[in-house]
Amino acid sequence: MRYDAVIVGGGLAGLTAGISLQKAGKKTAIVSTGQNALYFFSGCFESIQEPTPEILSLFSEAGVRVHYTPGVRLMPMGTFKESALALDDVSLFPAPDFGKKVLIINFMAYHDFFSSFLAQGLEKQGMECRIRFLNLGDLAQPELGPNQMRAVQIARKLDDVWEKVVQEVRVLLKDEDTVVLPQVFGLNDASIPERIRQGIPARVVFAGTLPPSVPGIRTQNLLKKRYEVLGGTYLLGDRVTGAHVYEDVVQNVVTKQLDRHYLEADHFILASGSFFSKGLSSNPFKIYEPLFELDMDYDTDRNTWYDPTFANHQPYLGFGVKTDAEFHPSRHGVPVKNLYVIGSILGETHPELGSGAGLAIRSALQVTQLITGKP
Amino acid sequence: MRVPDCSVDPFRLCAANMLDAKLHGGQVRLQTEVTGILREGNTVKGIRTHNRNTGADQEFYAPIVVNAGGVWGQELAQMAGIKVGMFPAKGSLLIFAHRVNNMVINRCRKPSNADILVPGDTVCIVGTTSSRIPLEECRNVAVTPDEVTLLITEGMKLAPRLASTRILRAYAGVRPLVSADDDPSGRNISRGIVCLDHEVRDGVKGLITITGGKLTSYRLMAEMATDLVCKKLGVDKACETAIHPLPGSEEGSYEEVAKKIWENPTTAQKVAAARMGSRVSRIRSTDRRDEALICECEQVTMGEINSAIDRLEASTLTDLRRRTRVGMGTCQGEFCACRAAGLLAKAHGCIEKERADIDYFLQERWKGNFPIGWGDTLREAEYTQWVYKHVLGI
């Protein structure tokens, strides 16, 4: 099977590249194992301080509702972090002391939402907090068992009965100006968080939970759908297991499911993620990129990979595939002409592109430009 | 030739001993640091303590003080003006993520490094090393890269399979080696159990020290110490701990225990029975919510955690880790730390304390992960960094 571009990895970087290339008239395929960093997305697009029109339309055209409001957001453990571009679910405030009296709502037996830590953080900002628990079993049958109380299972139930939650909150609400809810709404319907806001006569703040991230999965699904609507082929549940490189040109890649049906393309984009996603691998002696054996930028002395203090920045998080100004990697010093590398697999080798979501989106858009030759 | 080896769960052993003492009327005070030994002339009258939880200082009086402080025994004796020479010897070990053996495997040679591969619970452990360290370092022992390399290399000779087995954690402990004499170089280390009657040795009444030995001889050491205490108090009773089983160990295997309590025990119920023995009947509950898994890696339910908080003096994440194995699995506290902290906060009411507890717990877990920070360990570490810093905001 031949494509204009084959993209290894279907997360934020891979999908951004795929969507932009399809829009530019290119025929592409994405190979994805199924999960990626969006599954623990906080809802904030890190390191995007000033979104370009291109970035904003990437989201709006996919139905991903975002807002650009430089400020701070409330983190699940009651702290605050500076952010600028975020999903609709995530409120951004000019300052941490955004309210006076807060009603925090959680579900009984839901251990992944930290209402007491949130309350403590808000009290530090001078707010008065009251925590109340809803019984999800009362709102949606059959009841979830104690070990099914995880964000995604709850969200699936709530997609049907979120209006009942709104009713309960309205009954519980006294004189609070703010209601804090867990981010377990709108798994399959991006309009639900806004509709919840409209139904509650107070400021509504959705605070995050332990992964999986409901807003993250929603975003992943919307972007994938957009990609497919544009004609892209998303090979879900497959994994690239090898590549044939001849004379510094990638001829094709091999996938587990497609076996001998190699994927051929003019251009290949590696967006396979960092260590957790297995885009980068490690053993006691080295850090390496397992698919193409690409040259890496890191220190071979293992003792330099870590900072013994957990809270400090960890050097290994900065390691990534070495690329030139046009995102071409090299093998033993020789650039691979038709291979591009984008996203978190770059580590901190392109600090000008930022980190996290910013790195994924910017590198993907720049590589799209390079491939299509259009600005 | 066969050696009758077995392995023991040291956490369960410790908890059971503590519980046994309480059941016989003893008081257990955790997070209580001895800050001084009260001495009147040549007689020890009691101890001064500082409670790390409440910040309160308190004195306790007794005719006999038993110094069973392990490697800190030297400091404790010093508080009474007595010199007990200790030469701490650090030993490092590696925990592998799953068992490669079901029997203990020993090197048949003179004692040396990495001689033994011990299975236990869901893991196996290879050890150990031995290096003298200064007393000051005892509060913060670290596994060095050289020790990791040595343990892997030697370990592979015991079981080649270890070369491809995920390493879960590296850890180090300190042996309290006691000097047999006054030689400061510590060339003469006492082998075996050391029981010091300071009235005889140093002319100071009301204080004894019990130290040296090994984990396997702990009960005998306690018997020797209590025989001496009884002699001094004029109590004419024989020690019975050799005959009576510890609480929870009366009945059969953990599977049998679990089946008696729950007809069809879940994995979580079975491993709880392995951790607690027949005491596990305490966590049987009619409230389904008690079955919620707080730690998925080690299958620790909310019921078990609340039981440890209520009955086993657990007031920090580290306490919970020791009593229930929370945070000891492959994720090394990634998810369970915050969940368990929430339960602790609910129990003792101080959120601020639990925030600090989470930080401390994560740092302690990291200490044992980065020395073996490659492969899946590095993947989990990266994930933990992202979740705690970018998702949760710690």
Side-chain angles (χ1 to χ4, degrees), chain B residues 133-166:
Chain B
I133 57 168
L135 206 59
E136 306 81 61
E137 214 180 287
C138 291
R139 295 202 185 277
N140 206 3
V141 282
V143 180
T144 66
D146 283 343
E147 285 172 331
V148 172
T149 307
L150 184 147
L151 287 164
I152 295 174
T153 320
E154 292 299 298
M156 278 163 53
K157 294 176 189 171
L158 291 168
R161 187 66 178 281
L162 290 179
S164 54
T165 307
R166 177 175 172 183

PDB file of all heavy atoms in Angstrom, chain B residues 133-166:
ATOM      1  N   ILE B 133      29.881   1.710  56.770  1.00  0.00           N
ATOM      2  CA  ILE B 133      29.539   3.115  56.545  1.00  0.00           C
ATOM      3  C   ILE B 133      29.564   3.852  57.879  1.00  0.00           C
ATOM      4  O   ILE B 133      29.379   3.241  58.932  1.00  0.00           O
ATOM      5  CB  ILE B 133      28.135   3.275  55.896  1.00  0.00           C
ATOM      6  CG1 ILE B 133      27.055   2.610  56.752  1.00  0.00           C
ATOM      7  CG2 ILE B 133      28.117   2.723  54.487  1.00  0.00           C
ATOM      8  CD1 ILE B 133      25.653   2.981  56.322  1.00  0.00           C
ATOM      9  N   PRO B 134      29.812   5.156  57.860  1.00  0.00           N
ATOM     10  CA  PRO B 134      29.801   5.907  59.116  1.00  0.00           C
ATOM     11  C   PRO B 134      28.372   5.994  59.668  1.00  0.00           C
ATOM     12  O   PRO B 134      27.403   5.936  58.906  1.00  0.00           O
ATOM     13  CB  PRO B 134      30.315   7.300  58.712  1.00  0.00           C
ATOM     14  CG  PRO B 134      30.135   7.390  57.250  1.00  0.00           C
ATOM     15  CD  PRO B 134      30.148   5.998  56.704  1.00  0.00           C
ATOM     16  N   LEU B 135      28.274   6.134  60.967  1.00  0.00           N
ATOM     17  CA  LEU B 135      26.977   6.160  61.643  1.00  0.00           C
ATOM     18  C   LEU B 135      26.046   7.223  61.055  1.00  0.00           C
ATOM     19  O   LEU B 135      24.845   7.032  60.921  1.00  0.00           O
ATOM     20  CB  LEU B 135      27.186   6.406  63.140  1.00  0.00           C
ATOM     21  CG  LEU B 135      26.101   5.870  64.082  1.00  0.00           C
ATOM     22  CD1 LEU B 135      25.948   4.368  63.924  1.00  0.00           C
ATOM     23  CD2 LEU B 135      26.451   6.212  65.513  1.00  0.00           C
ATOM     24  N   GLU B 136      26.644   8.371  60.666  1.00  0.00           N
ATOM     25  CA  GLU B 136      25.833   9.488  60.160  1.00  0.00           C
ATOM     26  C   GLU B 136      25.091   9.102  58.884  1.00  0.00           C
ATOM     27  O   GLU B 136      24.002   9.597  58.600  1.00  0.00           O
ATOM     28  CB  GLU B 136      26.711  10.718  59.837  1.00  0.00           C
ATOM     29  CG  GLU B 136      27.581  11.186  60.991  1.00  0.00           C
ATOM     30  CD  GLU B 136      28.844  10.355  61.127  1.00  0.00           C
ATOM     31  OE1 GLU B 136      29.655  10.326  60.168  1.00  0.00           O
ATOM     32  OE2 GLU B 136      29.012   9.727  62.188  1.00  0.00           O
ATOM     33  N   GLU B 137      25.706   8.205  58.100  1.00  0.00           N
ATOM     34  CA  GLU B 137      25.111   7.845  56.815  1.00  0.00           C
ATOM     35  C   GLU B 137      23.902   6.922  56.976  1.00  0.00           C
ATOM     36  O   GLU B 137      23.136   6.723  56.039  1.00  0.00           O
ATOM     37  CB  GLU B 137      26.171   7.141  55.963  1.00  0.00           C
ATOM     38  CG  GLU B 137      26.075   7.418  54.470  1.00  0.00           C
ATOM     39  CD  GLU B 137      27.153   6.683  53.694  1.00  0.00           C
ATOM     40  OE1 GLU B 137      28.324   7.110  53.793  1.00  0.00           O
ATOM     41  OE2 GLU B 137      26.826   5.676  53.020  1.00  0.00           O
ATOM     42  N   CYS B 138      23.745   6.362  58.184  1.00  0.00           N
ATOM     43  CA  CYS B 138      22.678   5.382  58.411  1.00  0.00           C
ATOM     44  C   CYS B 138      21.293   5.956  58.175  1.00  0.00           C
ATOM     45  O   CYS B 138      20.356   5.227  57.867  1.00  0.00           O
ATOM     46  CB  CYS B 138      22.753   4.817  59.827  1.00  0.00           C
ATOM     47  SG  CYS B 138      24.187   3.778  60.066  1.00  0.00           S
ATOM     48  N   ARG B 139      21.168   7.268  58.335  1.00  0.00           N
ATOM     49  CA  ARG B 139      19.848   7.855  58.171  1.00  0.00           C
ATOM     50  C   ARG B 139      19.462   7.965  56.702  1.00  0.00           C
ATOM     51  O   ARG B 139      18.322   8.200  56.356  1.00  0.00           O
ATOM     52  CB  ARG B 139      19.786   9.242  58.805  1.00  0.00           C
ATOM     53  CG  ARG B 139      19.955   9.164  60.291  1.00  0.00           C
ATOM     54  CD  ARG B 139      19.375  10.375  61.012  1.00  0.00           C
ATOM     55  NE  ARG B 139      19.679  10.287  62.434  1.00  0.00           N
ATOM     56  CZ  ARG B 139      18.957   9.577  63.296  1.00  0.00           C
ATOM     57  NH1 ARG B 139      17.904   8.929  62.891  1.00  0.00           N
ATOM     58  NH2 ARG B 139      19.292   9.509  64.561  1.00  0.00           N
ATOM     59  N   ASN B 140      20.437   7.832  55.830  1.00  0.00           N
ATOM     60  CA  ASN B 140      20.156   8.031  54.415  1.00  0.00           C
ATOM     61  C   ASN B 140      21.010   7.117  53.546  1.00  0.00           C
ATOM     62  O   ASN B 140      21.896   7.572  52.836  1.00  0.00           O
ATOM     63  CB  ASN B 140      20.424   9.492  54.071  1.00  0.00           C
ATOM     64  CG  ASN B 140      19.592   9.928  52.886  1.00  0.00           C
ATOM     65  OD1 ASN B 140      18.776   9.159  52.368  1.00  0.00           O
ATOM     66  ND2 ASN B 140      19.810  11.140  52.441  1.00  0.00           N
ATOM     67  N   VAL B 141      20.736   5.808  53.647  1.00  0.00           N
ATOM     68  CA  VAL B 141      21.563   4.889  52.866  1.00  0.00           C
ATOM     69  C   VAL B 141      21.089   4.869  51.414  1.00  0.00           C
ATOM     70  O   VAL B 141      19.893   4.939  51.142  1.00  0.00           O
ATOM     71  CB  VAL B 141      21.524   3.456  53.428  1.00  0.00           C
ATOM     72  CG1 VAL B 141      22.413   3.345  54.626  1.00  0.00           C
ATOM     73  CG2 VAL B 141      20.110   3.046  53.767  1.00  0.00           C
ATOM     74  N   ALA B 142      22.046   4.765  50.517  1.00  0.00           N
ATOM     75  CA  ALA B 142      21.717   4.750  49.095  1.00  0.00           C
ATOM     76  C   ALA B 142      22.427   3.581  48.426  1.00  0.00           C
ATOM     77  O   ALA B 142      23.533   3.210  48.817  1.00  0.00           O
ATOM     78  CB  ALA B 142      22.151   6.057  48.446  1.00  0.00           C
ATOM     79  N   VAL B 143      21.777   3.016  47.418  1.00  0.00           N
ATOM     80  CA  VAL B 143      22.387   1.936  46.655  1.00  0.00           C
ATOM     81  C   VAL B 143      23.227   2.560  45.554  1.00  0.00           C
ATOM     82  O   VAL B 143      22.744   3.399  44.805  1.00  0.00           O
ATOM     83  CB  VAL B 143      21.308   1.024  46.035  1.00  0.00           C
ATOM     84  CG1 VAL B 143      21.946  -0.101  45.243  1.00  0.00           C
ATOM     85  CG2 VAL B 143      20.404   0.459  47.119  1.00  0.00           C
ATOM     86  N   THR B 144      24.493   2.158  45.451  1.00  0.00           N
ATOM     87  CA  THR B 144      25.376   2.766  44.452  1.00  0.00           C
ATOM     88  C   THR B 144      25.302   1.996  43.129  1.00  0.00           C
ATOM     89  O   THR B 144      24.926   0.821  43.105  1.00  0.00           O
ATOM     90  CB  THR B 144      26.844   2.729  44.929  1.00  0.00           C
ATOM     91  OG1 THR B 144      27.250   1.357  44.991  1.00  0.00           O
ATOM     92  CG2 THR B 144      26.989   3.371  46.300  1.00  0.00           C
ATOM     93  N   PRO B 145      25.669   2.670  42.020  1.00  0.00           N
ATOM     94  CA  PRO B 145      25.666   1.996  40.719  1.00  0.00           C
ATOM     95  C   PRO B 145      26.546   0.748  40.705  1.00  0.00           C
ATOM     96  O   PRO B 145      26.196  -0.263  40.103  1.00  0.00           O
ATOM     97  CB  PRO B 145      26.213   3.055  39.763  1.00  0.00           C
ATOM     98  CG  PRO B 145      25.932   4.343  40.429  1.00  0.00           C
ATOM     99  CD  PRO B 145      26.010   4.094  41.902  1.00  0.00           C
ATOM    100  N   ASP B 146      27.686   0.813  41.405  1.00  0.00           N
ATOM    101  CA  ASP B 146      28.573  -0.359  41.448  1.00  0.00           C
ATOM    102  C   ASP B 146      27.876  -1.529  42.125  1.00  0.00           C
ATOM    103  O   ASP B 146      28.017  -2.677  41.696  1.00  0.00           O
ATOM    104  CB  ASP B 146      29.861  -0.028  42.225  1.00  0.00           C
ATOM    105  CG  ASP B 146      30.814   0.808  41.388  1.00  0.00           C
ATOM    106  OD1 ASP B 146      30.619   0.844  40.147  1.00  0.00           O
ATOM    107  OD2 ASP B 146      31.735   1.413  41.955  1.00  0.00           O
ATOM    108  N   GLU B 147      27.143  -1.231  43.168  1.00  0.00           N
ATOM    109  CA  GLU B 147      26.439  -2.305  43.875  1.00  0.00           C
ATOM    110  C   GLU B 147      25.378  -2.911  42.963  1.00  0.00           C
ATOM    111  O   GLU B 147      25.188  -4.132  42.942  1.00  0.00           O
ATOM    112  CB  GLU B 147      25.784  -1.766  45.149  1.00  0.00           C
ATOM    113  CG  GLU B 147      26.788  -1.502  46.270  1.00  0.00           C
ATOM    114  CD  GLU B 147      26.174  -0.790  47.448  1.00  0.00           C
ATOM    115  OE1 GLU B 147      25.198  -0.023  47.249  1.00  0.00           O
ATOM    116  OE2 GLU B 147      26.669  -0.975  48.568  1.00  0.00           O
ATOM    117  N   VAL B 148      24.689  -2.066  42.204  1.00  0.00           N
ATOM    118  CA  VAL B 148      23.667  -2.573  41.282  1.00  0.00           C
ATOM    119  C   VAL B 148      24.308  -3.518  40.269  1.00  0.00           C
ATOM    120  O   VAL B 148      23.819  -4.626  40.024  1.00  0.00           O
ATOM    121  CB  VAL B 148      22.956  -1.418  40.559  1.00  0.00           C
ATOM    122  CG1 VAL B 148      22.041  -1.952  39.466  1.00  0.00           C
ATOM    123  CG2 VAL B 148      22.151  -0.581  41.539  1.00  0.00           C
ATOM    124  N   THR B 149      25.418  -3.071  39.693  1.00  0.00           N
ATOM    125  CA  THR B 149      26.112  -3.898  38.699  1.00  0.00           C
ATOM    126  C   THR B 149      26.544  -5.226  39.308  1.00  0.00           C
ATOM    127  O   THR B 149      26.339  -6.287  38.724  1.00  0.00           O
ATOM    128  CB  THR B 149      27.354  -3.161  38.166  1.00  0.00           C
ATOM    129  OG1 THR B 149      26.945  -1.872  37.699  1.00  0.00           O
ATOM    130  CG2 THR B 149      28.014  -3.930  37.035  1.00  0.00           C
ATOM    131  N   LEU B 150      27.105  -5.167  40.516  1.00  0.00           N
ATOM    132  CA  LEU B 150      27.574  -6.385  41.169  1.00  0.00           C
ATOM    133  C   LEU B 150      26.433  -7.347  41.433  1.00  0.00           C
ATOM    134  O   LEU B 150      26.521  -8.548  41.154  1.00  0.00           O
ATOM    135  CB  LEU B 150      28.261  -6.013  42.495  1.00  0.00           C
ATOM    136  CG  LEU B 150      28.891  -7.148  43.287  1.00  0.00           C
ATOM    137  CD1 LEU B 150      30.127  -6.655  44.009  1.00  0.00           C
ATOM    138  CD2 LEU B 150      27.935  -7.734  44.300  1.00  0.00           C
ATOM    139  N   LEU B 151      25.326  -6.808  41.932  1.00  0.00           N
ATOM    140  CA  LEU B 151      24.188  -7.672  42.269  1.00  0.00           C
ATOM    141  C   LEU B 151      23.598  -8.331  41.035  1.00  0.00           C
ATOM    142  O   LEU B 151      23.211  -9.504  41.066  1.00  0.00           O
ATOM    143  CB  LEU B 151      23.114  -6.860  43.006  1.00  0.00           C
ATOM    144  CG  LEU B 151      23.474  -6.497  44.446  1.00  0.00           C
ATOM    145  CD1 LEU B 151      22.581  -5.394  44.966  1.00  0.00           C
ATOM    146  CD2 LEU B 151      23.388  -7.720  45.351  1.00  0.00           C
ATOM    147  N   ILE B 152      23.543  -7.592  39.933  1.00  0.00           N
ATOM    148  CA  ILE B 152      23.000  -8.175  38.698  1.00  0.00           C
ATOM    149  C   ILE B 152      23.956  -9.250  38.182  1.00  0.00           C
ATOM    150  O   ILE B 152      23.549 -10.367  37.837  1.00  0.00           O
ATOM    151  CB  ILE B 152      22.794  -7.097  37.611  1.00  0.00           C
ATOM    152  CG1 ILE B 152      21.721  -6.101  38.048  1.00  0.00           C
ATOM    153  CG2 ILE B 152      22.406  -7.739  36.287  1.00  0.00           C
ATOM    154  CD1 ILE B 152      21.569  -4.930  37.103  1.00  0.00           C
ATOM    155  N   THR B 153      25.231  -8.903  38.137  1.00  0.00           N
ATOM    156  CA  THR B 153      26.226  -9.847  37.596  1.00  0.00           C
ATOM    157  C   THR B 153      26.279 -11.132  38.419  1.00  0.00           C
ATOM    158  O   THR B 153      26.242 -12.229  37.870  1.00  0.00           O
ATOM    159  CB  THR B 153      27.627  -9.200  37.587  1.00  0.00           C
ATOM    160  OG1 THR B 153      27.507  -7.847  37.187  1.00  0.00           O
ATOM    161  CG2 THR B 153      28.565  -9.937  36.660  1.00  0.00           C
ATOM    162  N   GLU B 154      26.373 -10.970  39.722  1.00  0.00           N
ATOM    163  CA  GLU B 154      26.436 -12.157  40.575  1.00  0.00           C
ATOM    164  C   GLU B 154      25.094 -12.880  40.608  1.00  0.00           C
ATOM    165  O   GLU B 154      25.029 -14.103  40.657  1.00  0.00           O
ATOM    166  CB  GLU B 154      26.860 -11.764  41.998  1.00  0.00           C
ATOM    167  CG  GLU B 154      28.289 -11.264  42.119  1.00  0.00           C
ATOM    168  CD  GLU B 154      29.304 -12.308  41.698  1.00  0.00           C
ATOM    169  OE1 GLU B 154      29.370 -13.388  42.319  1.00  0.00           O
ATOM    170  OE2 GLU B 154      30.039 -12.047  40.726  1.00  0.00           O
ATOM    171  N   GLY B 155      24.027 -12.101  40.579  1.00  0.00           N
ATOM    172  CA  GLY B 155      22.700 -12.700  40.604  1.00  0.00           C
ATOM    173  C   GLY B 155      22.458 -13.609  39.414  1.00  0.00           C
ATOM    174  O   GLY B 155      21.844 -14.670  39.525  1.00  0.00           O
ATOM    175  N   MET B 156      22.980 -13.180  38.269  1.00  0.00           N
ATOM    176  CA  MET B 156      22.809 -13.976  37.055  1.00  0.00           C
ATOM    177  C   MET B 156      23.483 -15.345  37.175  1.00  0.00           C
ATOM    178  O   MET B 156      23.116 -16.292  36.475  1.00  0.00           O
ATOM    179  CB  MET B 156      23.381 -13.236  35.852  1.00  0.00           C
ATOM    180  CG  MET B 156      22.408 -12.207  35.313  1.00  0.00           C
ATOM    181  SD  MET B 156      23.200 -11.002  34.245  1.00  0.00           S
ATOM    182  CE  MET B 156      24.046 -12.056  33.075  1.00  0.00           C
ATOM    183  N   LYS B 157      24.485 -15.424  38.059  1.00  0.00           N
ATOM    184  CA  LYS B 157      25.138 -16.717  38.244  1.00  0.00           C
ATOM    185  C   LYS B 157      24.223 -17.656  39.023  1.00  0.00           C
ATOM    186  O   LYS B 157      24.301 -18.874  38.889  1.00  0.00           O
ATOM    187  CB  LYS B 157      26.469 -16.538  38.969  1.00  0.00           C
ATOM    188  CG  LYS B 157      27.493 -15.767  38.151  1.00  0.00           C
ATOM    189  CD  LYS B 157      28.764 -15.514  38.937  1.00  0.00           C
ATOM    190  CE  LYS B 157      29.666 -14.549  38.164  1.00  0.00           C
ATOM    191  NZ  LYS B 157      30.804 -14.107  38.989  1.00  0.00           N
ATOM    192  N   LEU B 158      23.360 -17.086  39.841  1.00  0.00           N
ATOM    193  CA  LEU B 158      22.404 -17.907  40.585  1.00  0.00           C
ATOM    194  C   LEU B 158      21.233 -18.298  39.690  1.00  0.00           C
ATOM    195  O   LEU B 158      20.729 -19.419  39.768  1.00  0.00           O
ATOM    196  CB  LEU B 158      21.861 -17.127  41.784  1.00  0.00           C
ATOM    197  CG  LEU B 158      22.836 -16.838  42.923  1.00  0.00           C
ATOM    198  CD1 LEU B 158      22.239 -15.825  43.881  1.00  0.00           C
ATOM    199  CD2 LEU B 158      23.167 -18.119  43.660  1.00  0.00           C
ATOM    200  N   ALA B 159      20.810 -17.369  38.852  1.00  0.00           N
ATOM    201  CA  ALA B 159      19.691 -17.635  37.947  1.00  0.00           C
ATOM    202  C   ALA B 159      19.887 -16.784  36.699  1.00  0.00           C
ATOM    203  O   ALA B 159      19.615 -15.588  36.716  1.00  0.00           O
ATOM    204  CB  ALA B 159      18.367 -17.275  38.622  1.00  0.00           C
ATOM    205  N   PRO B 160      20.341 -17.385  35.606  1.00  0.00           N
ATOM    206  CA  PRO B 160      20.587 -16.628  34.374  1.00  0.00           C
ATOM    207  C   PRO B 160      19.355 -15.849  33.908  1.00  0.00           C
ATOM    208  O   PRO B 160      19.471 -14.823  33.260  1.00  0.00           O
ATOM    209  CB  PRO B 160      20.952 -17.718  33.355  1.00  0.00           C
ATOM    210  CG  PRO B 160      21.447 -18.853  34.182  1.00  0.00           C
ATOM    211  CD  PRO B 160      20.695 -18.810  35.462  1.00  0.00           C
ATOM    212  N   ARG B 161      18.209 -16.358  34.273  1.00  0.00           N
ATOM    213  CA  ARG B 161      16.944 -15.721  33.913  1.00  0.00           C
ATOM    214  C   ARG B 161      16.850 -14.276  34.379  1.00  0.00           C
ATOM    215  O   ARG B 161      16.126 -13.469  33.794  1.00  0.00           O
ATOM    216  CB  ARG B 161      15.829 -16.545  34.582  1.00  0.00           C
ATOM    217  CG  ARG B 161      14.446 -16.159  34.223  1.00  0.00           C
ATOM    218  CD  ARG B 161      14.171 -16.429  32.749  1.00  0.00           C
ATOM    219  NE  ARG B 161      12.794 -16.085  32.438  1.00  0.00           N
ATOM    220  CZ  ARG B 161      11.772 -16.857  32.727  1.00  0.00           C
ATOM    221  NH1 ARG B 161      11.960 -18.015  33.309  1.00  0.00           N
ATOM    222  NH2 ARG B 161      10.559 -16.478  32.422  1.00  0.00           N
ATOM    223  N   LEU B 162      17.598 -13.959  35.448  1.00  0.00           N
ATOM    224  CA  LEU B 162      17.508 -12.616  36.010  1.00  0.00           C
ATOM    225  C   LEU B 162      17.940 -11.545  35.014  1.00  0.00           C
ATOM    226  O   LEU B 162      17.553 -10.390  35.127  1.00  0.00           O
ATOM    227  CB  LEU B 162      18.343 -12.509  37.293  1.00  0.00           C
ATOM    228  CG  LEU B 162      17.800 -13.264  38.508  1.00  0.00           C
ATOM    229  CD1 LEU B 162      18.739 -13.083  39.688  1.00  0.00           C
ATOM    230  CD2 LEU B 162      16.410 -12.782  38.870  1.00  0.00           C
ATOM    231  N   ALA B 163      18.766 -11.957  34.042  1.00  0.00           N
ATOM    232  CA  ALA B 163      19.254 -10.989  33.058  1.00  0.00           C
ATOM    233  C   ALA B 163      18.098 -10.350  32.291  1.00  0.00           C
ATOM    234  O   ALA B 163      18.186  -9.216  31.846  1.00  0.00           O
ATOM    235  CB  ALA B 163      20.219 -11.662  32.088  1.00  0.00           C
ATOM    236  N   SER B 164      16.998 -11.089  32.143  1.00  0.00           N
ATOM    237  CA  SER B 164      15.884 -10.540  31.383  1.00  0.00           C
ATOM    238  C   SER B 164      14.664 -10.318  32.262  1.00  0.00           C
ATOM    239  O   SER B 164      13.555 -10.168  31.772  1.00  0.00           O
ATOM    240  CB  SER B 164      15.527 -11.491  30.239  1.00  0.00           C
ATOM    241  OG  SER B 164      15.304 -12.786  30.763  1.00  0.00           O
ATOM    242  N   THR B 165      14.874 -10.292  33.569  1.00  0.00           N
ATOM    243  CA  THR B 165      13.753 -10.060  34.487  1.00  0.00           C
ATOM    244  C   THR B 165      13.741  -8.605  34.929  1.00  0.00           C
ATOM    245  O   THR B 165      14.789  -8.051  35.272  1.00  0.00           O
ATOM    246  CB  THR B 165      13.892 -10.962  35.739  1.00  0.00           C
ATOM    247  OG1 THR B 165      14.050 -12.307  35.315  1.00  0.00           O
ATOM    248  CG2 THR B 165      12.659 -10.851  36.624  1.00  0.00           C
ATOM    249  N   ARG B 166      12.588  -8.026  34.903  1.00  0.00           N
ATOM    250  CA  ARG B 166      12.492  -6.627  35.314  1.00  0.00           C
ATOM    251  C   ARG B 166      12.893  -6.466  36.774  1.00  0.00           C
ATOM    252  O   ARG B 166      12.453  -7.224  37.633  1.00  0.00           O
ATOM    253  CB  ARG B 166      11.049  -6.157  35.134  1.00  0.00           C
ATOM    254  CG  ARG B 166      10.842  -4.730  35.620  1.00  0.00           C
ATOM    255  CD  ARG B 166       9.463  -4.231  35.341  1.00  0.00           C
ATOM    256  NE  ARG B 166       9.236  -2.942  35.994  1.00  0.00           N
ATOM    257  CZ  ARG B 166       8.087  -2.290  35.964  1.00  0.00           C
ATOM    258  NH1 ARG B 166       7.059  -2.814  35.328  1.00  0.00           N
ATOM    259  NH2 ARG B 166       7.962  -1.140  36.565  1.00  0.00           N
TER     260      ARG B 166
END
